[in-house]
Amino acid sequence: MSDPPSPTSLTPALIERLRAIVGPAHALTDPDQQLPYLREWRDMYEGRAGVVLRPGSAEEVSKILALAHAHAIPVVPQAGNTGLVGGQMPMNGEILLSVGRLKRVRNVDAIGYTMTVESGLTLAEAQAAAEAANRFFPLSLPSEGTCQIGGNLGTNAGGVGVLAYGNARQLVLGLEVVLADGRIWNGLNALKKDNTGYDLKDLFIGSEGTLGIITAAVLKLFPRPVEKATALLALPDIGAALSLFSLAQETAGTSLTAFEFMPRIVLDFVLKHVPNARDPFSARHPWYVLIETSALKADGSAEGLLTGALETATEQGLILDAVLAGSLTQARDFWRLRESISEAQKPEGGNIKNDVSVPISKIPAFIAEANAAVERICPGARPLPLGHFGDGNVHYNIAQPVGMAKEAFLAHWDTIVRAVHDIVVAYGGSISAEHGIGFMKRAELARVKGEVQMDLMRRIKAALDPKGILNPGKVV
Ligand code: ZN
């Protein structure tokens, strides 16, 4: 590797040359205009950019990177700026390259069940493009109105549809990527079968902009589910969720499309802080599961499968109570309880975040052990284990003890996170299930992954980005 890239090489003369590439309206140096790109909604990172560039085509991205590469100027790519680990933030005055103007739907092939879209399309816009062709794009996240396809693929996003359809990686057939030196790799193939050497697209997916900048993708589409049945279930303990999940899979098979879990304290936060949130049960229960089945025909089969599973679960004592959504509105209300959890945590003060996964059968034991570790380190801290049960994905967040100063609690961040990660690793789990590594987990990644894996990752980085200009300080 040559000298590490430095933002100080971003001279006014170079900024003028970059401005000429994207046009004056799309090269932002004014702090007020830059602000939306440099703040993220959790207020954990505040970025600093030498210039914010908003290219309108892959060719413009290519010209920017060719120039940045020639002068060894670091570049931080950004899509919808909804990332949770700081991966999208420039920290040292780098070029911030927003893909937000790359918004074309290049092609929808309803017969081939694929669509080719550019990386600045929001996830909701991509879903709508599929729906307009009577097809279904199943990636689904609470931030789907804001997050963009480039970020979804760059971070291999998960969300609430992974159980039935897989995460972002499983939904991609091909990519167009601008490489660090400005060359455009056209890997936009729409083939289900392609065994011609190394799978390059899977290198870029989940690389968080450290290996290349995704400008377009061929996405997989699915038949549109036309009937859904949704229920909120009350459970006596988290062990019951494990038995219930197994039962629901046996009963509903691939029609089981969601299985989300949360403890009572999380529902309490939502009821307290989210306007118009309502507890559908009259009694308090220790745990809740949001379950959903889907069907391709409107013949009552989605509801039949769900009620069948719930009857057996009641007989086996796995559920204490259940409310089946009687209308679309009620189903949306149930989902809103789930999707407003993030915002409901904020008013409770300091919050230590863990996005981890363990084998499904280990979720109850992991939670018990992690809770005990947290209590030892910071007595009174309030664990909020919730998430996508069917993916083994626990958002093991921890709210500060009531009455403690926020800063005093957050001072425990590294100690608590390391303790949780050690338990995760002992159970054969992952320290980042769906949020990525970014800036936040870089040191932890190097700590928990073996030297061989880190060495391979660094070699790949050096091969694809020899000057180290792409998203420096993130991931590796
Ligand atoms: Zn999640």
Side-chain angles (χ1 to χ4, degrees), residues 277-295:
R278 204 180 63 82
D279 186 349
F281 300 101
S282 47
R284 293 170 63 87
H285 300 289
W287 290 87
Y288 299 88
V289 161
L290 177 61
I291 188 169
E292 181 193 85
T293 52
S294 304

Side-chain angles (χ1 to χ4, degrees), residues 91 104-105 186 234 335 358 476:
M91 300 296 191
R104 274 194 311 142
V105 176
N186 183 346
W335 273 109
V358 293
V476 288

Side-chain angles (χ1 to χ4, degrees), residues 231-353:
L232 196 66
L233 314 176
L235 278 69
D237 52 62
I238 188 67
L242 185 57
S243 310
L244 178 66
F245 177 66
S246 172
L247 171 71
Q249 277 207 308
E250 280 167 26
T251 312
T254 53
S255 297
L256 180 66
T257 43
F259 196 99
E260 301 284 310
F261 75 107
M262 66 170 123
R264 176 69 208 187
I265 182 175
V266 170
L267 184 60
D268 279 337
F269 284 11
V270 172
L271 297 173
K272 191 171 159 194
H273 301 297
V274 176
N276 304 319
R278 204 180 63 82
D279 186 349
F281 300 101
S282 47
R284 293 170 63 87
H285 300 289
W287 290 87
Y288 299 88
V289 161
L290 177 61
I291 188 169
E292 181 193 85
T293 52
S294 304
L296 298 177
K297 285 186 189 159
D299 58 0
S301 54
E303 188 169 322
L305 285 169
L306 181 55
T307 50
L310 296 187
E311 271 165 31
T312 314
T314 309
E315 283 163 19
Q316 295 181 2
L318 299 175
I319 53 178
L320 302 169
D321 205 350
V323 184
L324 191 69
S327 65
L328 261 180
T329 313
Q330 201 179 8
R332 266 192 224 111
D333 285 347
F334 290 174
W335 273 109
R336 212 167 70 86
L337 292 175
R338 168 65 184 92
E339 289 177 346
S340 48
I341 289 173
S342 292
E343 70 176 89
Q345 289 171 33
K346 254 189 169 181
E348 292 287 330
N351 199 306
I352 294 178
K353 310 274 183 185

